Amino acid sequence: DIQLTQSPSFLSASVGDRVTITCRASQGISTYLNWYQQKPGKAPELLIYGASALQSGVPSRFSGSGSGTEFTLTISSLQPEDFATYYCQQLNSYPRGFTFGPGTKVDIK
Amino acid sequence: QVQLVQSGAEVKKPGASVKVSCKASGYTFSSDDINWVRQATGQGLEWMGWMNPNSGNTGYAQKFQGRVTMTRNTSISTAYMELSSLRSADTAVYYCARGTLLPKGPYNHYVLDVWGQGTTVTVSS
Protein backbone atom coordinates (compact mmCIF):
# COMPACT_ATOMS: atom_id res chain seq x y z
CA ASP A 1 0.00 0.00 0.00
CA ILE A 2 1.03 3.58 -0.63
CA GLN A 3 1.87 5.52 2.51
CA LEU A 4 1.46 9.27 2.97
CA THR A 5 3.51 11.48 5.26
CA GLN A 6 2.86 15.12 6.07
CA SER A 7 5.13 17.86 7.30
CA PRO A 8 5.07 19.61 9.57
CA SER A 9 2.72 17.75 11.90
CA PHE A 10 2.04 21.00 13.73
CA LEU A 11 2.58 24.63 12.87
CA SER A 12 1.89 27.85 14.66
CA ALA A 13 1.09 30.87 12.50
CA SER A 14 -0.49 34.32 12.60
CA VAL A 15 -3.41 35.76 10.70
CA GLY A 16 -2.14 36.97 7.33
CA ASP A 17 0.76 34.52 7.17
CA ARG A 18 1.47 32.38 4.12
CA VAL A 19 1.34 28.72 5.14
CA THR A 20 2.63 25.70 3.25
CA ILE A 21 1.99 22.06 4.14
CA THR A 22 3.76 19.20 2.39
CA CYS A 23 2.45 15.70 1.71
CA ARG A 24 4.75 12.97 0.40
CA ALA A 25 3.68 9.63 -1.07
CA SER A 26 5.77 6.48 -0.78
CA GLN A 27 5.45 5.96 -4.53
CA GLY A 28 4.25 7.98 -7.48
CA ILE A 29 0.54 8.74 -7.60
CA SER A 30 0.44 11.21 -10.50
CA THR A 31 -2.00 13.91 -9.32
CA TYR A 32 -4.43 11.62 -7.51
CA LEU A 33 -4.14 13.51 -4.26
CA ASN A 34 -6.86 15.34 -2.34
CA TRP A 35 -6.77 17.72 0.64
CA TYR A 36 -9.32 18.05 3.43
CA GLN A 37 -9.78 20.55 6.25
CA GLN A 38 -11.18 19.51 9.61
CA LYS A 39 -12.18 21.88 12.39
CA PRO A 40 -12.56 20.65 15.98
CA GLY A 41 -15.77 18.69 16.51
CA LYS A 42 -16.69 18.86 12.82
CA ALA A 43 -16.54 16.51 9.86
CA PRO A 44 -13.74 16.98 7.33
CA GLU A 45 -14.41 19.11 4.25
CA LEU A 46 -12.92 18.69 0.79
CA LEU A 47 -10.63 21.58 -0.20
CA ILE A 48 -8.54 20.45 -3.16
CA TYR A 49 -8.79 17.47 -5.49
CA GLY A 50 -6.56 16.22 -8.26
CA ALA A 51 -3.66 17.89 -6.44
CA SER A 52 -4.59 21.39 -7.64
CA ALA A 53 -8.31 21.77 -8.41
CA LEU A 54 -10.24 23.92 -5.97
CA GLN A 55 -13.48 22.39 -4.73
CA SER A 56 -16.53 24.55 -5.38
CA GLY A 57 -17.05 27.15 -2.66
CA VAL A 58 -13.52 26.98 -1.28
CA PRO A 59 -11.80 30.39 -0.99
CA SER A 60 -9.13 31.15 -3.56
CA ARG A 61 -6.49 31.70 -0.86
CA PHE A 62 -6.20 27.91 -0.82
CA SER A 63 -4.12 26.30 -3.54
CA GLY A 64 -2.52 22.96 -4.21
CA SER A 65 0.35 21.79 -6.34
CA GLY A 66 2.57 18.82 -7.03
CA SER A 67 2.60 15.49 -8.79
CA GLY A 68 4.27 12.14 -8.41
CA THR A 69 5.40 11.89 -4.80
CA GLU A 70 5.48 15.44 -3.45
CA PHE A 71 2.51 17.75 -2.99
CA THR A 72 1.86 21.05 -1.24
CA LEU A 73 -1.16 22.83 0.14
CA THR A 74 -0.71 26.59 0.43
CA ILE A 75 -2.84 29.15 2.22
CA SER A 76 -1.80 32.50 0.83
CA SER A 77 -3.06 34.65 3.71
CA LEU A 78 -4.19 32.76 6.79
CA GLN A 79 -7.59 33.77 8.11
CA PRO A 80 -9.04 33.10 11.59
CA GLU A 81 -11.38 30.43 10.20
CA ASP A 82 -8.43 28.51 8.70
CA PHE A 83 -7.10 27.30 12.02
CA ALA A 84 -7.79 23.60 11.67
CA THR A 85 -6.18 20.25 10.87
CA TYR A 86 -5.39 19.46 7.25
CA TYR A 87 -5.21 15.96 5.78
CA CYS A 88 -3.97 14.75 2.44
CA GLN A 89 -5.58 11.63 0.98
CA GLN A 90 -5.02 9.32 -1.95
CA LEU A 91 -7.02 6.51 -3.49
CA ASN A 92 -5.45 3.10 -3.93
CA SER A 93 -6.70 1.63 -7.17
CA TYR A 94 -6.39 -2.03 -6.14
CA PRO A 95 -7.56 -3.08 -3.72
CA ARG A 96 -9.66 0.03 -3.79
CA GLY A 97 -9.34 2.10 -0.68
CA PHE A 98 -8.29 5.39 0.77
CA THR A 99 -5.14 6.35 2.59
CA PHE A 100 -5.05 9.52 4.65
CA GLY A 101 -1.97 11.36 5.75
CA PRO A 102 -1.46 11.78 9.51
CA GLY A 103 -2.60 15.41 9.44
CA THR A 104 -1.12 18.86 10.03
CA LYS A 105 -2.59 21.00 12.76
CA VAL A 106 -2.46 24.74 12.12
CA ASP A 107 -2.70 26.71 15.35
CA ILE A 108 -2.73 30.35 16.31
CA LYS A 109 0.61 31.90 17.24
CA GLN B 1 -29.18 20.75 -0.30
CA VAL B 2 -27.10 17.62 -0.46
CA GLN B 3 -26.65 16.15 2.98
CA LEU B 4 -25.98 13.01 4.94
CA VAL B 5 -27.59 12.69 8.38
CA GLN B 6 -26.32 10.02 10.74
CA SER B 7 -27.91 8.27 13.68
CA GLY B 8 -27.21 9.24 17.26
CA ALA B 9 -24.49 8.31 19.69
CA GLU B 10 -24.15 4.73 20.88
CA VAL B 11 -22.66 3.13 23.98
CA LYS B 12 -21.82 -0.55 23.68
CA LYS B 13 -20.14 -3.21 25.77
CA PRO B 14 -17.08 -5.09 24.53
CA GLY B 15 -18.04 -7.94 22.26
CA ALA B 16 -21.29 -6.33 21.14
CA SER B 17 -22.16 -4.96 17.69
CA VAL B 18 -23.17 -1.48 16.61
CA LYS B 19 -25.11 -0.39 13.53
CA VAL B 20 -24.86 3.22 12.39
CA SER B 21 -27.19 4.69 9.78
CA CYS B 22 -26.57 7.45 7.24
CA LYS B 23 -29.58 8.99 5.48
CA ALA B 24 -28.96 10.78 2.21
CA SER B 25 -31.01 13.62 0.80
CA GLY B 26 -30.74 16.21 -1.95
CA TYR B 27 -29.31 13.87 -4.58
CA THR B 28 -29.95 10.46 -6.17
CA PHE B 29 -28.80 8.05 -3.47
CA SER B 30 -27.97 5.23 -5.88
CA SER B 31 -25.70 7.36 -8.07
CA ASP B 32 -22.71 7.68 -5.72
CA ASP B 33 -20.81 5.50 -3.28
CA ILE B 34 -21.04 5.78 0.46
CA ASN B 35 -17.75 5.47 2.34
CA TRP B 36 -17.19 5.11 6.07
CA VAL B 37 -14.31 6.77 7.91
CA ARG B 38 -13.62 6.74 11.63
CA GLN B 39 -11.61 8.92 13.95
CA ALA B 40 -10.54 8.08 17.49
CA THR B 41 -10.25 11.00 19.89
CA GLY B 42 -7.22 13.12 19.02
CA GLN B 43 -6.26 10.82 16.16
CA GLY B 44 -6.33 10.94 12.39
CA LEU B 45 -8.82 9.71 9.83
CA GLU B 46 -9.10 5.98 9.14
CA TRP B 47 -10.96 4.70 6.09
CA MET B 48 -13.10 1.62 6.75
CA GLY B 49 -14.74 0.80 3.44
CA TRP B 50 -17.12 1.73 0.63
CA MET B 51 -20.46 0.62 -0.68
CA ASN B 52 -22.18 1.20 -4.01
CA PRO B 53 -25.86 1.78 -3.17
CA ASN B 54 -26.97 0.81 -6.67
CA SER B 55 -25.37 -2.63 -6.80
CA GLY B 56 -24.78 -3.25 -3.12
CA ASN B 57 -21.14 -4.02 -3.90
CA THR B 58 -18.74 -3.32 -1.07
CA GLY B 59 -15.03 -3.09 -0.35
CA TYR B 60 -13.55 -3.13 3.11
CA ALA B 61 -10.19 -2.12 4.51
CA GLN B 62 -8.20 -5.21 5.38
CA LYS B 63 -8.12 -4.19 9.03
CA PHE B 64 -11.90 -4.51 9.29
CA GLN B 65 -12.47 -7.55 7.06
CA GLY B 66 -14.73 -10.02 8.84
CA ARG B 67 -15.96 -7.46 11.38
CA VAL B 68 -17.65 -4.80 9.27
CA THR B 69 -20.73 -5.02 7.07
CA MET B 70 -22.03 -2.18 4.91
CA THR B 71 -25.58 -2.35 3.60
CA ARG B 72 -28.30 -0.06 2.31
CA ASN B 73 -32.03 0.41 1.99
CA THR B 74 -32.57 2.26 -1.26
CA SER B 75 -36.28 2.83 -0.57
CA ILE B 76 -35.35 5.22 2.24
CA SER B 77 -31.98 6.39 0.85
CA THR B 78 -30.13 5.10 3.88
CA ALA B 79 -26.78 3.37 4.24
CA TYR B 80 -25.71 1.32 7.25
CA MET B 81 -22.40 0.33 8.76
CA GLU B 82 -22.37 -2.51 11.26
CA LEU B 83 -19.24 -3.29 13.26
CA SER B 84 -19.13 -6.44 15.37
CA SER B 85 -16.95 -7.84 18.17
CA LEU B 86 -16.42 -4.36 19.51
CA ARG B 87 -13.44 -3.55 21.70
CA SER B 88 -12.33 -0.41 23.47
CA ALA B 89 -10.08 0.51 20.54
CA ASP B 90 -13.23 0.91 18.40
CA THR B 91 -14.29 3.91 20.47
CA ALA B 92 -14.37 6.68 17.88
CA VAL B 93 -16.47 9.04 15.82
CA TYR B 94 -17.76 7.29 12.72
CA TYR B 95 -18.46 9.31 9.58
CA CYS B 96 -20.24 8.42 6.38
CA ALA B 97 -19.13 10.31 3.28
CA ARG B 98 -20.30 10.41 -0.31
CA GLY B 99 -17.73 9.17 -2.78
CA THR B 100 -18.05 10.75 -6.18
CA LEU B 101 -16.02 11.61 -9.25
CA LEU B 102 -15.04 15.19 -9.97
CA PRO B 103 -13.59 16.16 -13.36
CA LYS B 104 -10.25 17.85 -13.79
CA GLY B 105 -9.12 18.16 -17.36
CA PRO B 106 -9.40 14.80 -19.13
CA TYR B 107 -9.49 12.82 -15.90
CA ASN B 108 -11.89 12.21 -13.06
CA HIS B 109 -10.85 12.21 -9.43
CA TYR B 110 -12.63 10.21 -6.74
CA VAL B 111 -13.32 12.36 -3.68
CA LEU B 112 -15.33 12.36 -0.48
CA ASP B 113 -17.29 15.52 -1.08
CA VAL B 114 -20.18 15.37 1.39
CA TRP B 115 -19.85 14.09 4.96
CA GLY B 116 -22.30 13.18 7.66
CA GLN B 117 -22.10 14.92 11.02
CA GLY B 118 -20.49 11.91 12.70
CA THR B 119 -21.72 9.33 15.20
CA THR B 120 -19.86 8.77 18.45
CA VAL B 121 -19.52 5.12 19.39
CA THR B 122 -18.22 4.40 22.87
CA VAL B 123 -17.19 0.89 23.81
CA SER B 124 -16.97 0.44 27.55
CA SER B 125 -17.70 -2.24 30.10
Side-chain angles (χ1 to χ4, degrees), chain B:
Chain B
Q1 74 282 24
V2 176
Q3 62 176 353
L4 300 172
V5 178
Q6 299 182 223
S7 49
E10 303 264 12
V11 179
K12 296 292 182 181
K13 293 193 181 303
S17 297
V18 68
K19 190 171 186 177
V20 180
S21 68
C22 171
K23 183 172 177 59
S25 62
Y27 74 101
T28 303
F29 176 62
S30 58
S31 66
D32 295 299
D33 296 341
I34 294 291
N35 288 257
W36 291 88
V37 176
R38 78 177 187 180
Q39 184 173 40
T41 302
Q43 302 301 306
L45 301 170
E46 182 175 33
W47 178 79
M48 299 180 68
W50 62 270
M51 181 196 64
N52 181 301
N54 185 46
S55 63
N57 289 344
T58 57
Y60 304 137
Q62 189 170 8
K63 175 177 180 176
F64 300 101
Q65 291 271 4
R67 273 210 309 145
V68 70
T69 305
M70 296 178 188
T71 57
R72 86 292 191 207
N73 183 334
T74 54
S75 67
I76 56 171
S77 300
T78 300
Y80 303 93
M81 186 283 299
E82 184 170 20
L83 188 62
S84 62
S85 303
L86 291 169
R87 39 227 190 210
S88 59
D90 294 317
T91 295
V93 176
Y94 290 76
Y95 295 101
C96 61
R98 184 176 76 166
T100 193
L101 291 170
L102 295 181
K104 180 195 166 197
Y107 303 108
N108 291 319
H109 294 265
Y110 190 87
V111 301
L112 303 179
D113 71 332
V114 179
W115 294 64
Q117 83 277 19
T119 297
T120 299
V121 175
T122 303
V123 182
S124 174
S125 54

